[in-house]
Amino acid sequence: MTLHMAFTITGTVDDIYRPGAITAAADESLEQTAARLEDKDVSAVVIMDGYRLAGIITERDIVRAVADRRDLADGTAGDYMTLEPATVSLETPLGEVARTMLAYGVRHLPVVVGGEVIGMVSARDLLEVEGATTD
């Protein structure tokens, strides 16, 4: 059975994003990255190369490394991160955020302003907005 939903999400990323993305370096071990995800209670970490966005690594990427039987102490975030992830700006309409997530099959998008990562927006953030508008 195919499920179709019509979203009534209005607003922009500025309305819902979480400021201050958690960051890591590509040479950080998968073990350290997994610990950071747990410690910060987040499901995605932005990978930086100096001040440049290099990628993003998520819980799903860590699970993929485990499924690959990768030694998490030996493997790096750079081995499993998504290179050059899609991003959004503060002005991006929430409907466009949802379409981008669906098109790329992702649940997290870094928020970038003037080339600087300033936060993150997630599918959960969108669902919270949608839930608030339908209550």
Side-chain angles (χ1 to χ4, degrees), residues 12-18 53 56 84-102 104 106-123 125-126:
T12 64
V13 168
D14 193 30
D15 299 325
I16 68 166
Y17 85 104
R18 296 170 192 244
L53 172 63
I56 187 170
E84 300 178 13
T87 63
V88 293
S89 70
L90 292 174
E91 298 80 25
T92 305
L94 296 180
E96 185 178 326
V97 172
R99 286 188 295 278
T100 300
M101 287 180 176
L102 287 170
Y104 287 94
V106 298
R107 296 182 288 200
H108 303 87
L109 294 171
V111 180
V112 177
V113 173
E116 180 183 344
V117 178
I118 64 163
M120 186 82 75
V121 65
S122 71
D125 298 328
L126 289 174

Side-chain angles (χ1 to χ4, degrees), residues 53-82:
L53 172 63
I56 187 170
I57 189 164
T58 68
E59 291 172 326
R60 283 199 274 182
D61 297 318
I62 302 293
V63 168
R64 188 166 42 96
V66 170
D68 288 348
R69 300 185 194 284
R70 187 67 186 258
D71 179 355
L72 297 185
D74 187 42
T76 67
D79 295 336
Y80 282 86
M81 71 181 182
T82 299

Side-chain angles (χ1 to χ4, degrees), residues 1-62:
M1 169 172 42
T2 303
L3 188 64
H4 297 279
M5 295 181 70
F7 288 99
T8 57
I9 300 173
T10 59
T12 64
V13 168
D14 193 30
D15 299 325
I16 68 166
Y17 85 104
R18 296 170 192 244
I22 308 302
T23 64
D27 62 354
E28 182 174 285
S29 75
L30 291 168
E31 185 175 59
Q32 291 170 310
T33 304
R36 184 172 313 221
L37 290 167
E38 175 66 24
D39 180 56
K40 299 297 185 181
D41 194 26
V42 296
S43 47
V45 174
V46 175
I47 306 298
M48 302 297 292
D49 180 9
Y51 293 102
R52 184 184 72 79
L53 172 63
I56 187 170
I57 189 164
T58 68
E59 291 172 326
R60 283 199 274 182
D61 297 318
I62 302 293

